[in-house]
Amino acid sequence: MKRSRTKLIAYDVAAVAAASLLFAAAMNMFILPAEITVGGITGVATIITHFVNLPVGFTIIILNTPLIILNTRRYGRGFLLRTLIGTISTSLAIDLANFLPVTVTDPLLCALLGGAAMGASLGILLSRGYTTGGTDLVACLIKRKLPRVPTGSLIMLSDAVVVLTSTVVFGGFDRLLYSIVCIFTMSRIADYLIAGSRRAFLAFVVTSQPERMTSMISERLGRGTTLLRGIGGYTLEPRQIIMCVVGKGEIFFLKQAISDVDRSSFVIVLGASEVLGEGFISPDGGSYGLFV
């Protein structure tokens, strides 16, 4: 068990280090030199540093800190820790790696290469359960006051405001096109690394400890489960099968919870192209939660 824990920590350290380096390369080699705005808190920091002589990474940390604190009560200490690690590591990497050379000057190439590098960074972080905060947190705070507005719409609106503001600040509507190209490339690469374009995962877990397993999934992920009755094809003994649907940002935590309870479990994870219901997408197309 101790060896497995050490291995998990080693994987996390390697993933965060690689993601931070990619994030820094994207910003210092492509996005900042071309004055491209990617939306979110990173975009806001880019605009601020255009007027104030502050490091971009430091500004990102300052802007994210109050948002993380305000959302901690809702998402717990695990969320706080992993968001802090993701935010601080990528932000520090931007400032410490500002010596990286600028080898591409064409804005369109910068948008494509910067978006690809940043998307790879975010994909690695999210696949290990880390986040970089940003407008997702802003959307969650607004949603407390406007619960009927879908979270996805709030995130898109926040990013759109940032990108349009940067267009006015930096001048030239051609930069709006480059921002759109960069954001699209980033989102596609991140989705591909996490789970393709799937909106959620459907997991079937065959375990000898169904009660502990369902309790652990509920405690760590806040997700409901369904118990199905099954019969072993070889032994003909009755078995309980746990069915659970989770968002793509939660699959890492699900696998970790299953491993902690019963390492001998038999697990099948399928991509669900569409999930309707509480915690995912409402029947009218709105969003219930953050981790979809």
Side-chain angles (χ1 to χ4, degrees), residues 37 47 157-169 173 176:
T37 303
I47 296 172
L157 179 61
S158 300
D159 286 340
V161 169
V162 173
V163 172
L164 290 174
T165 301
S166 73
T167 301
V168 175
V169 170
F173 282 93
L176 177 60

Side-chain angles (χ1 to χ4, degrees), residues 73-102:
R73 178 177 294 182
R74 181 175 182 181
Y75 295 109
R77 293 181 180 178
F79 161 82
L80 170 65
L81 179 60
R82 287 183 175 267
T83 301
L84 280 175
I85 291 174
T87 301
I88 293 174
S89 62
T90 53
S91 299
L92 288 179
I94 294 173
D95 293 341
L96 294 176
N98 57 9
F99 58 86
L100 291 172
V102 178

Side-chain angles (χ1 to χ4, degrees), residues 166-221:
S166 73
T167 301
V168 175
V169 170
F170 294 126
F173 282 93
D174 55 339
R175 299 194 182 281
L176 177 60
L177 172 62
Y178 299 140
S179 293
I180 293 173
V181 170
C182 184
I183 292 170
F184 177 79
T185 304
M186 175 178 64
S187 62
R188 296 304 298 170
I189 294 295
D191 278 345
Y192 178 79
L193 287 178
I194 296 168
S197 59
R198 300 165 184 165
R199 295 196 62 86
F201 287 99
L202 171 63
F204 292 98
V205 184
V206 182
T207 175
S208 60
Q209 303 181 56
E211 294 182 358
R212 282 190 61 202
M213 190 72 73
T214 55
S215 177
M216 181 68 78
I217 292 173
S218 176
E219 178 184 334
R220 291 195 183 179
L221 285 80

Side-chain angles (χ1 to χ4, degrees), residues 3-292:
R3 188 176 180 180
S4 177
R5 179 73 175 174
T6 303
K7 189 176 180 180
L8 179 63
I9 293 174
Y11 279 142
D12 278 2
V13 170
V16 171
S20 298
L21 182 59
L22 282 169
F23 202 94
M27 292 294 293
N28 290 310
M29 297 178 67
F30 307 112
I31 293 173
L32 290 177
E35 294 186 338
I36 296 171
T37 303
V38 294
I41 295 299
T42 303
V44 175
T46 304
I47 296 172
I48 291 176
T49 55
H50 183 73
F51 298 100
V52 183
N53 187 22
L54 286 174
V56 175
F58 175 76
T59 306
I60 293 173
I61 294 174
I62 295 299
L63 294 174
N64 263 308
T65 299
L67 298 175
I68 295 171
I69 293 173
L70 290 172
N71 278 282
T72 299
R73 178 177 294 182
R74 181 175 182 181
Y75 295 109
R77 293 181 180 178
F79 161 82
L80 170 65
L81 179 60
R82 287 183 175 267
T83 301
L84 280 175
I85 291 174
T87 301
I88 293 174
S89 62
T90 53
S91 299
L92 288 179
I94 294 173
D95 293 341
L96 294 176
N98 57 9
F99 58 86
L100 291 172
V102 178
T103 57
V104 178
T105 57
D106 181 79
L108 182 57
L109 281 177
C110 285
L112 290 170
L113 294 174
M118 186 167 285
S121 172
L122 295 176
I124 292 171
L125 286 172
L126 289 172
S127 67
R128 300 298 299 177
Y130 294 91
T131 76
T132 58
T135 46
D136 288 15
L137 304 181
V138 176
C140 289
L141 292 175
I142 298 175
K143 192 169 178 65
R144 295 180 187 179
K145 302 294 183 181
L146 303 172
R148 294 182 179 273
V149 181
T151 304
S153 298
L154 291 173
I155 293 172
M156 282 195 301
L157 179 61
S158 300
D159 286 340
V161 169
V162 173
V163 172
L164 290 174
T165 301
S166 73
T167 301
V168 175
V169 170
F170 294 126
F173 282 93
D174 55 339
R175 299 194 182 281
L176 177 60
L177 172 62
Y178 299 140
S179 293
I180 293 173
V181 170
C182 184
I183 292 170
F184 177 79
T185 304
M186 175 178 64
S187 62
R188 296 304 298 170
I189 294 295
D191 278 345
Y192 178 79
L193 287 178
I194 296 168
S197 59
R198 300 165 184 165
R199 295 196 62 86
F201 287 99
L202 171 63
F204 292 98
V205 184
V206 182
T207 175
S208 60
Q209 303 181 56
E211 294 182 358
R212 282 190 61 202
M213 190 72 73
T214 55
S215 177
M216 181 68 78
I217 292 173
S218 176
E219 178 184 334
R220 291 195 183 179
L221 285 80
R223 291 296 188 186
T225 55
T226 300
L227 292 177
L228 307 176
R229 294 180 179 178
I231 299 177
Y234 180 74
T235 62
L236 298 180
E237 294 181 356
R239 300 292 297 270
Q240 293 277 14
I241 302 172
I242 300 172
M243 183 181 75
C244 181
V245 179
V246 297
K248 59 187 179 184
E250 299 171 308
I251 187 63
F252 169 77
F253 296 106
L254 175 66
K255 291 189 289 187
Q256 189 177 48
I258 293 171
S259 177
D260 287 347
V261 173
D262 183 6
R263 295 181 63 85
S264 63
S265 296
F266 184 77
V267 184
I268 302 173
V269 181
L270 305 172
S273 60
E274 186 175 20
V275 180
L276 305 179
E278 185 174 355
F280 293 92
I281 304 298
S282 63
D284 61 2
S287 175
Y288 284 111
L290 173 67
F291 296 105
V292 176

